[in-house]
Every structure is written in structure tokens, then in C-alpha cells.
Amino acid sequence: MGEARGGCCPPMYLFRSEPMQLVQLIVPIESAHLTASYLGDVGLLQFKDLNVEKSPFQRTYAAQIKKCGEMARKLRFFKEQMLKAGFCSKKSTAQVDINLDDLEVKLGELEAELVEINANGEKLQRAYNELVEYKLVLEKAGEFFHTALSSATEQQREYESSRTHEESLDTPLLLDQEMSTDSSKQVKLGFITGLVPQEKSMAFERIIFRATRGNVFIRQVVVEDPVTDPVTGEKIEKNVFVVFYSGERAKNKILKICEAFGANRYPFGEDLGKQAQMITEVSGRLSELKATIDIGLLQRNNLLQTIGDHFEQWDTLARKEKSIYHTLNMLSLDVTKKCLVGEGWSPVFATKQIQDALQRAAFDSNSQVGAIFQVLQTKELPPTYFRTNKFTSPFQEIVDAYGVAKYQEANPTVYTIVTFPFLFAVMFGDWGHGLCLLFATLFLIARERRYSSQKLGDIMEMMFSGRYCILMMALFSIYTGLIYNEFFSVPFKLFGPSAYACRDLSCIDATTVGLIKVLPTYPLGVDPAWHGSRSELPFLNSLKMKMSILLGVAQMNLGIILSYCNAKFFRNRLNVWFQFVPQMIFLNSLFGYLSILILAKWCTGSQADLYHIMIYMFLSPTDDLGENQLFAGQKTVQLVLLLLALVAVPWMLLPKPFLLKKQHQDRLRGHSYTLLQDTEDDTFQLGSNHDSHGHEEFEFGEVFVHQLIHTIEFVLGSVSNTASYLRLWALSDMPSHLPHHGDPPG
Amino acid sequence: MYGFEALTFNIHAGYLEAIVRGHRAGLLTAADYNNLCQCETLDDIKMHLSATEYGPYLQNEPSPLHTTTIVEKCTLKLVDDYKHMLCQATEPLSTFLEYITYGHMIDNVVLIVTGTLHERDVQELLEKCHPLGMFDSIATLAVAQNMRELYRLVLVDTPLAPYFSECITSEDLDDMNIEIMRNTLYKAYLEDFYRFCQKLGGATAEIMSDLLSFEADRRAVNISINSIGTELTRDDRKKLYSNFGLFYPYGHEELAVCEDIDQVRGVMEKYPPYQSIFSKLSYGESQMLDKAFYEEEVKRLCLAFEQQFHYGVFFAYMRLREQEIRNLMWISECVAQNQKSRVHDSVVFIF
């Protein structure tokens, strides 16, 4: 049917989705990989999964996918390492042909090397960090011992001097005894020094205090700069601590607590001279280690550099291989295990390209037999495929966001190309803003080639992909802006002077009595004289509101007409007579009539109140219209229209489900001998098929409820949609009145 | 204010309820388990899990996998979920969420104390602890020699401190003591949690009282079965039962005097909700009891999701995820040890 239609008229691929075919491929196993790769480049074949019931690891190429996953893991590892080292992978254009197996080996080697270097580096780093900590302990604790010693001697001196004086309150009571105990009985105080993370230091101190019942002396000194922890390798704030204790049991407890808190202990000599010696020793070893670490880092950086040069390619290759094997997993293995059988959907026009790709694959893989390509007959509903170009694709995406059309249904995208930007412009309407938008989008379009090849940010990406849509929006905005006569909310006298002028030179009564018309009507758009006048708002509101309703009714009619196109295309007379016709009648007898009234009011300049007419058309259709009459016989017309609308609702609701039921019963009765006709009349089958949910099962209740919902939706929808179109007015009103928000209403 | 929580619930907890229901949708289904049970190697399991929510947690694991790695990573996912929820939670939901972890804390304390008693390495023990039940000074538990020290040194800083009031003795720690301590703590914890939920009121109280009662009853049954033939006296045994639940108070009297498992069964069968648990088991069989309890619990937890505007979903999600991790552990162990015939023994399907 695609060809039949394509023959008579120019290709109208935008109006309907592409004709599709179900194709079967039989690919020899040796050329399968290359075939999948080439078909992937063509990108016009959608494989059906023939192994749905198999779990991922039972499929033919599960092992290869695992391999690719493993490679991807290694590549992620490299990337992480490169990021840590501050390298960014360069895009190398040189295509190096590398086999998947070679790549796997290579990646494995590189990983092993990198891991080894890292391990060595870590070991060295750990030793280095330990030494740094040790040095800190030596310095800080040394400082502490030093001050303690000097204060102690001072105290001693003070004590000696105070012995002669009277005892002051400050002197500790036990001091006497303490000092007088002779040195032989003195308990030897042990001490432990080390570093503890600052955030745990309080809890550490508390626990030690509790565990030893307070029989300890703890000193902590804050280390100013964060220290790299030797175990975790992270930079954390630490405290140097010194704990004095007495007794072996206390020591064991404290050691355990240190371990529990991750506090690193370091030996510390009591002797001052020894301390200084240790510090110099540690410093010496530090500088030695530093040099070794630097060499290791250099080596590591070199390795990462070489990885970085190829990273992008390898990554692409690994991803590509993985998706190739995923595709191949959707193919089923032939019983002879010599070839793969695949089924997929492709657009009819792509047949040549696909066959070409198959041939190339067979040739390039030196396969003895070529792949077999054949078209299958099917009654399945094919997927929808729209050919788009860079201009239509944003619009297609907008339409798809609301719902993808069924196979070969009319594609609303064609109309959306105009209606979407136009309705936007009705709201945006300002040619100053429109020009800004135009320049912005022209900039994007001018740099199209450069931007399309590079990765943009989130928002920028969206702007860029919708650039042609925005272009249309800008053009329409300029147009509507001219109609509204707004340039950044300021009117311009572009098309000659205003048609209105003051009654006299003084212009005193301009705001009270009004202006008089002196020139012919302003040629395009709103007369600038309206701006700032007392009646500006009511005038523009009335204009835009009515315009919105006209646009809305026109668009809703377009939608219904599209449903007619579909019914006609699928030769579904049921939908024409019991859906399209009553819908048209319902919509137009209510809102179509309103549109006509609006036009009539504009043309005749009548003062009739349209709200009143519409409301009383329902409330009391037989009453006299009085001053609101627009034309002779209006009452009769309204009565007829109202009746038509009332009739249209059951017309939409009732006949279709019953007729579908009858159709279904007929088909069941004649099922055995209509087989021949079925194959002949494929389109009819397709069309009626998806309306009655497949002809094997027919649930009357379901169909009826479906129709009921559909009808209610349409009736309520046509009312609420008309109201929604008033948003066009509401939003178009907003920007023009924002600037003079402070003005008095008038 | 029963029935009115819908008015204000979403102000604070609406976002988190949405999150937790999203997480629940990520739980493995029966189809997933069927596929997992067919796996030949641990790599197959990893491959299958890579398509689930565990994917990002397992993808960077190099190939020779171990069961412990899988379990560890899956637990990490649970912990991440929990932490995310806890960060977003406001009072009283945050307290509720914290209550969920206390059970793990008790288990961890017991693990460390028992481990130290048997002179295991503290670091090794710490690795075995459930990450949800960690607290700052947990490693210091190794220092303590008896209950009093345990409390005074370490636990006084933790939320478990109030639960200790009943078990401070100066006796040295031994296996029996520790087990009694665990159950006394659990009892106090469950009662406290129950009171807290009752205080919250509304659907939370209703649903959580059902779930916690089940938990308390299960513990009562387990205590009864495990204490058969030990030196634990009847009064001591009765002291370990939580003071709420279906068995409270009359069932407790009967459970306390049970001498063998069939007597326990007799007690349970008097309570209609628990009849179905034993109906699947033959007389004298106790190994399958755990599984039967787990199945019953999963059923109840799933029901918690049927109602909206209550905190029970958070508890239910955490428990279901834990059950799922137990399932994964069992499946992985079976696959790793080539015991695939026993896979179905202990797997509890969640959906």
C-alpha cells in the first residue's frame, strides 16, 4: 500500500509514518559480528528479541558481554585514576585498528601494571605519612615536655621559695607529701604518645578517663594542618596526644582503646638529646622517601599518559562491542549452530541499504555464504518510524512527548511545525523580544556545525536541539508583535500616524470624551493611539480573548479532521460516521457557532453580549434574545444547533460498540472461509484489528466502557479546551502589562 | 488524631514516602529469583544483578567474586538508601528511622563482646558488624570485662544506654550471660520502640504495633525453643519476653513452662494468626520454623505498603531489603558451593 500511495503523489513521508516490513535475516555465524556492526552503522533495522524467555546469562554471547563488562570496568578504573591524577583523556582522531581480544589482553596488562605501581606507591606513601606523623609527634610532644620541664623547675623554685613564706591557698594540699616522697618509692609513670583524629579526640579522652577511673594524665595538642592518615590515605585533622599512666593493666587498656579509635602510636624517647637526634633522623628519611615517591609518581603519570592517549578509542570500542553482542543476543541460534536467525522491523525504503550492508559484511568477513535477507508476511502491528530531518526533528519530539502515533496514522507534526510556534507567538507577541530570540537562535544555527560535534551542557543541549523550533517561534513572535504593535511593550508608529486624534488642540477631553477618527484605519495591527488610553485594557482583552477562541476552535477542528484522515486511510467507515461526524457536529454547533458570532460581531460592530447569548442558549433556549440578537432567525438557529449537539452525544456513544460487536460476530461466523479475502485486504484487517483489540477476543463491556470514556472525554474536553485556549489571551496580556504595573488601572 | 494524618503527613514525610515506595519497586521479584536460582557461577549472579538496583554497587568489582563481596555491596546499597532517608527526615520520622537501627546495634555489641571473649581480632570482628548498627566507640567494647564496665565505659554514650538498666551485673561475661543480655536488651528495645510508635498514633501506631507484636512473639517463641534443656529457670525465661504482643500475658505463662517443641507448638496453635505457620510443618520439626516465620513476616511487611501516610513503610522497606540480602547470600552460597538443590530451602520470595 505504501507504493500505491507513493506512486501518485510526491513523497509525503512527513504526513504518515514510514511503511514498515518485517524482515528475516539469516546470517552465517562467522560474519554475524561484522553484520551487526554494519547494520548498527546503518541504524535502520530494529531487531525483535527472539530469546525473551532466556535469562541474560543463558544467551549465546553472554560470555562476550561479560568480557566487555570486565573491560568497561577496567576502563572505568583507568578513568578514575586519570581523574585523580588530573589528566583528561584527549580525543585522538587517529583510528587504530585493534582487535577486541588484543584490547582485552592489553587492558589486563595495563591494569596489572597500574595496580602494582599504585600498590608500591601506596606502601611508600604510607611509610612517608607515618614518618610525617612521627615527626609531628616528636615536635609537638617535645614542645610539651619542654614546657612541662621548664614549668616544673619553675614550680620547684617557687616551692622552695614559698617554703619560707606562709602557705598560700594556691598551693596544692598534697604538694607537701608528693614532694617529700622519696624517689625509691615513686611509681614509674609510663606514657604513650601518638595521633588521634580530632573529631574523635573528645570521646577518646573520655573513654580513657573512664576506663582507668581517672588515673591518667592526658595532654592533647592540635595539629594546625590536616594530616594524611597512613591507613586510609585521607587528609584529616588530628591531635597529638600524650597519655601518662601508671601500671601495666592501665597500659593494656589504653593500648586497646588506642587501637579502637584508630589512634596511631609512636615511640618517644624521654631523653631530650635523643629527641633532637630522632627528629633529624626522621627528616632525613622523609626527604629520601619523598624522592622515591616522586620517581614512582613520574612513572605512574607516564603510564596514565599513554592510557589517556588511547582511552577515548578504547572506550568507544568496548561500548560498541558490548552493544553489538547485546544485539546478537536477540538473534536465535539455528539448529545447525552455523547461522543466526534474526527478525526485525525496517522501513521499506531501507531495504537497499540493509542488503548493501549485509553484502559488505559478508565480503569483509570472507564468509563463504552471504547473509539471507527476506521479507516476512505478518499481521503484527509494525512500529512507528518517522523520517525526520534537522528541521522537523524538534517538532517530532514535541509531538512524541504527548504520544506516538500508531503505525501509519496521520502525523500531527506537520501542522505542529506551524501551530506550535504560532501559538507561542500569540502569547509572546512582542517584536522586540522576538528580534532578541531571532538573533540568539541565528547564532546557534550559524555555529551549527561546530556545536553538533561537541558536547554541550544540559540546558544548552536543549536549546541547540530545538534551534529551528525557536527560529520559527522568533519569526512568528515578530509577526504577532507587529500585530499587537509592541516593541518591548512600547508601541511604534511604523505604518504611518495613528488614525485617531484629539478633538481640539488642548486635548483636555482626550481621556473623558475620547478621540475622533481623522485618518483611515491603521493599516496593520493595533493602532498606537490605544496605548496608555483608558480603554486600552478592555479593548485588548476583548480582542485577544475572541482571537484565542477562534484559534482554539480552528485547531480543535483540525484535530477532528485528522481523525477523519485516519479513518479514511484505514477505510474504517465506522469511525467516520460514528465518531468524526458527531464530533464535528457537537463541536461546531456550540463553539463553531460562538466563533461565527464573534466574527459577526466584529463585522457588524454590534453591541450584543456574547456571554449572555451563549449562556441563555442553554438555560432558556426559547426566550427572546432582545437586544442581543445579531441576525434574523437567530433563535431558531440556536434551537436547531442545541438539538444537534444533544443528539450528537448518544450518536458518539451508542452505535459504535454495538456495530463492532456485530462485526465481530459476523467475522467469527465466516472465519473458516474468509481466509482468502483476509490476505487480500491486508489494510482493512490492520485497521479494524487494533480497534477491536484483536479479533480473537472481544469484550463487549470493555469496548463499551472505552467508548463511554472517549465520549465523556470529548464532550468535557471540548468545553475545557476552549476555556484553556483563553490562556493564550491571559499569557499574551501578561508581558505587555508588566512594565506599567504601577500605573493606575484604566 | 486517627484519620487526620493525611492532612499534614505530606508536609514533612511526603517526599520520603515517595522515595521509599520507589525503593520498594526496586526489590527483586519472583522472576528475578527464578533467574538467580539458575545461575551457574557468582559472575552470573553479578551479571543478573547488574540489571537491578544493585548494578552500580557491583559493577566495579573485579571478576573472582566472593559471596561476602556480594553481600557487602548489597548491604552498602541498603545503608546508602537508609542514610539518604535519614538525612532528609525531620522529627519524629528521624527518631523512628534511628529506632530501626538499634536492633543492629544490639547485635553488633553482642558480636564484639562474644568475639572478644573467644579472643578474636577486633578488626576482624568489626568487619563482620552490620554497618547500620555502628557507633563511634564500638571497638572499645573489647576493653570491658563485665556488664557494668561495658555499660559504664562504652554504652552509656549510645542510644542503647536506657535499655541496660535491667542487666547491669558485676558478673563476668560468659556465653550464657551475653545471650541473656542480648535478649534483655532486645526486650527493652522492642518495648521502647512499641511505646514510641503508640505515642506517634494514627496508622503508624496501628501498623507498627502489628509488626512489632509479631517480632516480639517470634522472639518469645525462639527464646522458649532455645532455652529448652538449659539451666534457665522458668521465671528467668519469662523475664525475657517483651510485655506486649499477642502472647502477652497469658501465652507467656504457657510458653514459660514449655519443655519441648511440641508444647510450644501447642501454645502457638491457640492463636489463630500463628496457626498457619505450624500447619506447614510436621511434628517435631524446628529447622523450617525460621523460614516459616520469615515468610509470615514478609507477608505482613508487604501489607504495610497497602496503606498510606504512616511510617511503617520505612520499617517494612528496611526489613524487606534485609530479607532480600539474606536471600542473595543464601543463593550465592549455594551457587558457590555447588549445592544448587538446596537453593530453595531458605529463599523467601518477597513478591
mmCIF file of all heavy atoms in Angstrom, chain A residues 590-609:
data_model
loop_
_atom_site.group_PDB
_atom_site.id
_atom_site.type_symbol
_atom_site.label_atom_id
_atom_site.label_comp_id
_atom_site.label_asym_id
_atom_site.label_seq_id
_atom_site.Cartn_x
_atom_site.Cartn_y
_atom_site.Cartn_z
ATOM 1 N N LEU A 590 -21.726 24.163 18.996
ATOM 2 C CA LEU A 590 -21.562 25.001 20.188
ATOM 3 C C LEU A 590 -20.485 26.057 19.971
ATOM 4 O O LEU A 590 -20.752 27.244 19.922
ATOM 5 C CB LEU A 590 -21.222 24.138 21.398
ATOM 6 C CG LEU A 590 -22.252 23.080 21.764
ATOM 7 C CD1 LEU A 590 -21.806 22.317 22.982
ATOM 8 C CD2 LEU A 590 -23.602 23.730 22.020
ATOM 9 N N PHE A 591 -19.274 25.586 19.777
ATOM 10 C CA PHE A 591 -18.172 26.548 19.737
ATOM 11 C C PHE A 591 -17.931 27.103 18.347
ATOM 12 O O PHE A 591 -17.455 28.216 18.186
ATOM 13 C CB PHE A 591 -16.927 25.919 20.326
ATOM 14 C CG PHE A 591 -17.133 25.540 21.754
ATOM 15 C CD1 PHE A 591 -17.353 24.238 22.136
ATOM 16 C CD2 PHE A 591 -17.181 26.522 22.720
ATOM 17 C CE1 PHE A 591 -17.582 23.897 23.447
ATOM 18 C CE2 PHE A 591 -17.417 26.197 24.038
ATOM 19 C CZ PHE A 591 -17.622 24.887 24.404
ATOM 20 N N GLY A 592 -18.280 26.305 17.332
ATOM 21 C CA GLY A 592 -18.233 26.841 15.981
ATOM 22 C C GLY A 592 -19.216 27.995 15.856
ATOM 23 O O GLY A 592 -18.916 29.035 15.274
ATOM 24 N N TYR A 593 -20.368 27.811 16.464
ATOM 25 C CA TYR A 593 -21.390 28.863 16.441
ATOM 26 C C TYR A 593 -20.876 30.110 17.157
ATOM 27 O O TYR A 593 -21.045 31.226 16.680
ATOM 28 C CB TYR A 593 -22.654 28.327 17.100
ATOM 29 C CG TYR A 593 -23.746 29.351 17.257
ATOM 30 C CD1 TYR A 593 -24.306 29.960 16.133
ATOM 31 C CD2 TYR A 593 -24.225 29.700 18.516
ATOM 32 C CE1 TYR A 593 -25.310 30.903 16.279
ATOM 33 C CE2 TYR A 593 -25.220 30.638 18.660
ATOM 34 C CZ TYR A 593 -25.765 31.246 17.539
ATOM 35 O OH TYR A 593 -26.746 32.177 17.684
ATOM 36 N N LEU A 594 -20.220 29.896 18.296
ATOM 37 C CA LEU A 594 -19.643 31.027 19.032
ATOM 38 C C LEU A 594 -18.648 31.779 18.156
ATOM 39 O O LEU A 594 -18.645 33.015 18.110
ATOM 40 C CB LEU A 594 -18.953 30.513 20.301
ATOM 41 C CG LEU A 594 -18.222 31.544 21.136
ATOM 42 C CD1 LEU A 594 -19.178 32.584 21.684
ATOM 43 C CD2 LEU A 594 -17.471 30.875 22.270
ATOM 44 N N SER A 595 -17.833 31.038 17.401
ATOM 45 C CA SER A 595 -16.858 31.678 16.529
ATOM 46 C C SER A 595 -17.548 32.524 15.479
ATOM 47 O O SER A 595 -17.116 33.638 15.163
ATOM 48 C CB SER A 595 -15.992 30.625 15.834
ATOM 49 O OG SER A 595 -15.479 29.735 16.773
ATOM 50 N N ILE A 596 -18.636 31.961 14.945
ATOM 51 C CA ILE A 596 -19.362 32.719 13.917
ATOM 52 C C ILE A 596 -19.949 33.991 14.525
ATOM 53 O O ILE A 596 -19.878 35.073 13.929
ATOM 54 C CB ILE A 596 -20.457 31.842 13.285
ATOM 55 C CG1 ILE A 596 -19.775 30.785 12.412
ATOM 56 C CG2 ILE A 596 -21.428 32.672 12.465
ATOM 57 C CD1 ILE A 596 -20.671 29.684 11.965
ATOM 58 N N LEU A 597 -20.461 33.857 15.757
ATOM 59 C CA LEU A 597 -20.991 35.051 16.426
ATOM 60 C C LEU A 597 -19.906 36.094 16.608
ATOM 61 O O LEU A 597 -20.120 37.287 16.408
ATOM 62 C CB LEU A 597 -21.571 34.671 17.787
ATOM 63 C CG LEU A 597 -22.897 33.928 17.796
ATOM 64 C CD1 LEU A 597 -23.339 33.697 19.227
ATOM 65 C CD2 LEU A 597 -23.953 34.715 17.042
ATOM 66 N N ILE A 598 -18.724 35.631 16.978
ATOM 67 C CA ILE A 598 -17.618 36.575 17.186
ATOM 68 C C ILE A 598 -17.322 37.317 15.884
ATOM 69 O O ILE A 598 -17.201 38.551 15.851
ATOM 70 C CB ILE A 598 -16.362 35.828 17.677
ATOM 71 C CG1 ILE A 598 -16.558 35.363 19.124
ATOM 72 C CG2 ILE A 598 -15.129 36.701 17.573
ATOM 73 C CD1 ILE A 598 -15.474 34.431 19.613
ATOM 74 N N LEU A 599 -17.227 36.521 14.804
ATOM 75 C CA LEU A 599 -16.929 37.151 13.511
ATOM 76 C C LEU A 599 -18.037 38.133 13.138
ATOM 77 O O LEU A 599 -17.779 39.253 12.690
ATOM 78 C CB LEU A 599 -16.779 36.077 12.434
ATOM 79 C CG LEU A 599 -15.505 35.230 12.558
ATOM 80 C CD1 LEU A 599 -15.486 34.141 11.504
ATOM 81 C CD2 LEU A 599 -14.275 36.117 12.398
ATOM 82 N N ALA A 600 -19.291 37.711 13.370
ATOM 83 C CA ALA A 600 -20.414 38.576 13.022
ATOM 84 C C ALA A 600 -20.355 39.871 13.813
ATOM 85 O O ALA A 600 -20.577 40.959 13.290
ATOM 86 C CB ALA A 600 -21.726 37.842 13.281
ATOM 87 N N LYS A 601 -19.994 39.740 15.101
ATOM 88 C CA LYS A 601 -19.930 40.936 15.933
ATOM 89 C C LYS A 601 -18.833 41.876 15.449
ATOM 90 O O LYS A 601 -19.009 43.089 15.407
ATOM 91 C CB LYS A 601 -19.671 40.523 17.372
ATOM 92 C CG LYS A 601 -19.940 41.638 18.353
ATOM 93 C CD LYS A 601 -19.696 41.212 19.774
ATOM 94 C CE LYS A 601 -19.548 42.457 20.624
ATOM 95 N NZ LYS A 601 -19.289 42.150 22.019
ATOM 96 N N TRP A 602 -17.713 41.296 15.062
ATOM 97 C CA TRP A 602 -16.624 42.125 14.540
ATOM 98 C C TRP A 602 -17.041 42.838 13.262
ATOM 99 O O TRP A 602 -16.749 44.006 13.065
ATOM 100 C CB TRP A 602 -15.401 41.250 14.267
ATOM 101 C CG TRP A 602 -14.551 41.036 15.484
ATOM 102 C CD1 TRP A 602 -14.652 41.686 16.663
ATOM 103 C CD2 TRP A 602 -13.486 40.105 15.634
ATOM 104 N NE1 TRP A 602 -13.715 41.236 17.545
ATOM 105 C CE2 TRP A 602 -12.979 40.257 16.941
ATOM 106 C CE3 TRP A 602 -12.896 39.163 14.792
ATOM 107 C CZ2 TRP A 602 -11.913 39.506 17.431
ATOM 108 C CZ3 TRP A 602 -11.839 38.431 15.285
ATOM 109 C CH2 TRP A 602 -11.357 38.577 16.579
ATOM 110 N N CYS A 603 -17.713 42.093 12.384
ATOM 111 C CA CYS A 603 -18.060 42.677 11.083
ATOM 112 C C CYS A 603 -19.136 43.743 11.229
ATOM 113 O O CYS A 603 -19.061 44.782 10.601
ATOM 114 C CB CYS A 603 -18.537 41.586 10.125
ATOM 115 S SG CYS A 603 -17.226 40.437 9.727
ATOM 116 N N THR A 604 -20.144 43.447 12.073
ATOM 117 C CA THR A 604 -21.265 44.385 12.123
ATOM 118 C C THR A 604 -21.070 45.489 13.161
ATOM 119 O O THR A 604 -21.754 46.502 13.107
ATOM 120 C CB THR A 604 -22.565 43.647 12.467
ATOM 121 O OG1 THR A 604 -22.377 42.994 13.729
ATOM 122 C CG2 THR A 604 -22.905 42.607 11.416
ATOM 123 N N GLY A 605 -20.155 45.293 14.097
ATOM 124 C CA GLY A 605 -19.976 46.283 15.143
ATOM 125 C C GLY A 605 -21.128 46.289 16.122
ATOM 126 O O GLY A 605 -21.395 47.287 16.782
ATOM 127 N N SER A 606 -21.817 45.160 16.236
ATOM 128 C CA SER A 606 -22.982 45.080 17.129
ATOM 129 C C SER A 606 -22.547 45.142 18.587
ATOM 130 O O SER A 606 -21.400 44.847 18.927
ATOM 131 C CB SER A 606 -23.721 43.774 16.836
ATOM 132 O OG SER A 606 -24.342 43.311 18.002
ATOM 133 N N GLN A 607 -23.476 45.522 19.459
ATOM 134 C CA GLN A 607 -23.179 45.644 20.881
ATOM 135 C C GLN A 607 -23.633 44.416 21.665
ATOM 136 O O GLN A 607 -23.651 44.425 22.883
ATOM 137 C CB GLN A 607 -23.898 46.860 21.463
ATOM 138 C CG GLN A 607 -23.555 48.149 20.783
ATOM 139 C CD GLN A 607 -22.578 48.950 21.600
ATOM 140 O OE1 GLN A 607 -22.749 49.070 22.802
ATOM 141 N NE2 GLN A 607 -21.549 49.489 20.972
ATOM 142 N N ALA A 608 -24.047 43.360 20.957
ATOM 143 C CA ALA A 608 -24.623 42.187 21.620
ATOM 144 C C ALA A 608 -23.643 41.586 22.616
ATOM 145 O O ALA A 608 -22.432 41.614 22.414
ATOM 146 C CB ALA A 608 -25.007 41.150 20.576
ATOM 147 N N ASP A 609 -24.213 41.025 23.695
ATOM 148 C CA ASP A 609 -23.385 40.419 24.732
ATOM 149 C C ASP A 609 -23.280 38.918 24.452
ATOM 150 O O ASP A 609 -24.243 38.178 24.598
ATOM 151 C CB ASP A 609 -24.037 40.675 26.096
ATOM 152 C CG ASP A 609 -23.176 40.145 27.222
ATOM 153 O OD1 ASP A 609 -22.085 39.594 26.913
ATOM 154 O OD2 ASP A 609 -23.584 40.288 28.380
#
